[in-house]
């Protein structure tokens, strides 16, 4: 019983040590650059696998300030802009049409040195090209 009590008393100290030893190092992100993009419906490229399945759409855009410094030590945040509102990506919405068909649309992004890529995927993988869409990308370093 005494051994169990000793072990239970050590638990809070162990948890406290773990949390204090994993403290994040503060970074000063002093530079911010904002890009606004309007992607025309014709700019979306369709992709499928070798069997013609798993359809999604993408658009890659150059971002001059997205360099190795931002990639390695900064932050990239992207938003979809609709009807005067911004929603951080990924953006996931569920839809239903008048025929009772249901699907989910996911809008997400990734980035590399010099470019940002936007993706549109519908859960039913139907041929449904995206229309014109607006995005906002914020770089901080």
């Amino acid at each position: 019983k005494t051994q169990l009590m000793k072990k239970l008393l050590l638990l809070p100290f162990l948890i406290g040590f773990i949390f204090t030893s994993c403290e994040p190092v503060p970074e000063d992100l002093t530079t911010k650059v904002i890009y606004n993009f309007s992607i025309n419906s014709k700019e979306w490229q369709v992709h499928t696998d070798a069997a013609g399945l798993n359809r999604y759409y993408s658009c890659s855009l150059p971002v001059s300030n997205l360099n190795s410094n931002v990639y390695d030590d900064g932050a990239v945040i992207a938003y979809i802009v609709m009807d005067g509102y911004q929603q951080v990506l990924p953006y996931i919405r569920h839809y239903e049409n008048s025929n009772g068909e249901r699907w989910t649309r996911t809008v997400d992004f990734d980035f590399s040195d010099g470019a940002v890529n936007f993706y549109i995927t519908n859960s039913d993988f139907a041929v449904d090209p995206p229309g014109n869409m607006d995005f906002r990308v914020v770089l901080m370093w």
Side-chain angles (χ1 to χ4, degrees), residues 19-67:
F19 284 113
T20 58
S21 64
C22 297
E23 216 172 286
V25 177
E27 295 263 346
D28 290 331
L29 302 177
T30 59
T31 305
K32 176 175 72 174
V33 178
I34 299 172
Y35 292 87
N36 293 299
F37 297 107
S38 290
I39 300 175
N40 185 297
S41 61
K42 295 177 184 175
E43 295 177 273
W44 292 105
Q45 296 179 355
V46 64
H47 303 271
T48 61
D49 62 15
L53 302 172
N54 302 305
R55 178 181 317 274
Y56 69 93
Y57 299 87
S58 73
C59 184
S60 182
L61 300 166
V63 179
S64 60
N65 287 321
L66 187 43
N67 55 34

Side-chain angles (χ1 to χ4, degrees), residues 70-116:
V70 176
Y71 186 89
D72 293 333
D73 299 317
V76 179
I77 304 169
Y79 304 87
I80 186 169
V81 180
M82 298 181 308
D83 303 322
Y85 293 95
Q86 295 183 67
Q87 169 69 45
V88 69
L89 296 182
Y91 171 83
I92 301 167
R93 289 295 182 265
H94 310 286
Y95 297 95
E96 180 178 19
N97 64 19
S98 58
N99 296 330
E101 298 168 326
R102 297 177 180 167
W103 70 98
T104 299
R105 174 169 272 187
T106 302
V107 181
D108 61 319
F109 82 108
D110 63 21
F111 60 92
S112 61
D113 196 349
V116 64

